[in-house]
Amino acid sequence: MSDLAEGVARFQRDVFPAKARLFGHLASHHAPHTLFIGCSDARVVPELITGSEPGALFVVRTAGNLVPAHAQSADGVAASVEYAVAALGVSRVVVCGHSACGAMTALAEGHDLDATPAVAGWLRHADVSRARTLAPGDVPALVRQNVAAQLTNLATHPSVARALARNALTLHGWVYDIGTGHVEELATAGAPIAA
């Protein structure tokens, strides 16, 4: 725990004073421009990858950057999407997959998930992605197909569908390569996914 406490001390000593004006503004204003849906993986840090200041991104992180299709029963992902789009009025949504994704690797390689039933249940939201990936074990292809499938799921959410119909929102699919820092844009709005 001391490493986290030391990090907080560094933040309070070095970072906060340098950005005190920004944080003062953010204390009463919340107007992010982008909803960033990424993986929970600790190696994927949306603000770092995009060079964004605090307040610019509304971030949702889930294992495998999964977005369940809209359903009558609300969940945390659906509530966050709705809030970002309908209440905050973000103008962009990015769904960002990444290299070496543990969730996609488990699916591509058929790992036994019996010991983690909640994970196994959650990863069923990637069934379409897995079905569309031609070569078994091809993690990079599954990562890309998964980004496309999650964009499709995202468009089933009523707030997203309404914003898309008004041309008030664009959807973007990205894949971030951890080893190189490269970000590949796979799809925008209704554009087809790259091969």
Side-chain angles (χ1 to χ4, degrees), residues 12 44 81 93 102 118:
Q12 292 171 336
V44 180
V81 167
V93 180

Side-chain angles (χ1 to χ4, degrees), residues 63 103 106 113 116-124:
L113 299 175
T116 53
V119 172
W122 177 251
L123 293 182
R124 288 190 190 104

Side-chain angles (χ1 to χ4, degrees), residues 10 15 23 29 35 73-74 89 104 110 125 128 131 136 143 153 187 195:
R10 274 193 311 278
V15 177
F23 287 114
H29 293 84
L35 166 58
S73 59
M104 295 302 106
H125 294 295
V128 170
V143 166
N153 286 350

Side-chain angles (χ1 to χ4, degrees), residues 103-105 107-110 126-150 186 193-195:
M104 295 302 106
T105 299
L107 290 174
E109 297 178 355
D127 284 349
V128 170
S129 310
R130 191 166 42 169
R132 291 182 178 162
T133 303
L134 300 176
D138 188 345
V139 176
L142 180 54
V143 166
R144 284 167 174 71
Q145 285 301 329
N146 188 56
V147 168
Q150 302 320 307
L186 300 178
I193 190 167

Side-chain angles (χ1 to χ4, degrees), residues 155 158-170:
S159 59
V160 173
R162 286 190 295 271
L164 288 170
R166 292 191 324 270
N167 292 320
L169 186 69
T170 57

Side-chain angles (χ1 to χ4, degrees), residues 10-97:
R10 274 193 311 278
F11 169 76
Q12 292 171 336
R13 182 186 64 240
D14 302 330
V15 177
F16 189 87
K19 296 184 181 292
R21 189 173 181 161
L22 171 62
F23 287 114
H25 175 76
L26 293 175
S28 59
H29 293 84
H30 188 206
H33 53 69
T34 301
L35 166 58
F36 191 103
I37 301 172
C39 187
S40 302
D41 192 304
R43 301 168 294 176
V44 180
V45 183
E47 294 83 358
L48 189 61
I49 294 166
T50 63
S52 296
E53 289 286 343
L57 303 178
F58 191 86
V59 178
V60 174
R61 295 176 69 159
T62 69
N65 47 273
L66 299 175
V67 180
H70 176 70
Q72 293 296 21
S73 59
D75 61 34
V77 176
S80 295
V81 167
E82 182 177 77
Y83 185 72
V85 175
L88 297 175
V90 297
S91 60
R92 293 183 294 243
V93 180
V94 172
V95 174
C96 185

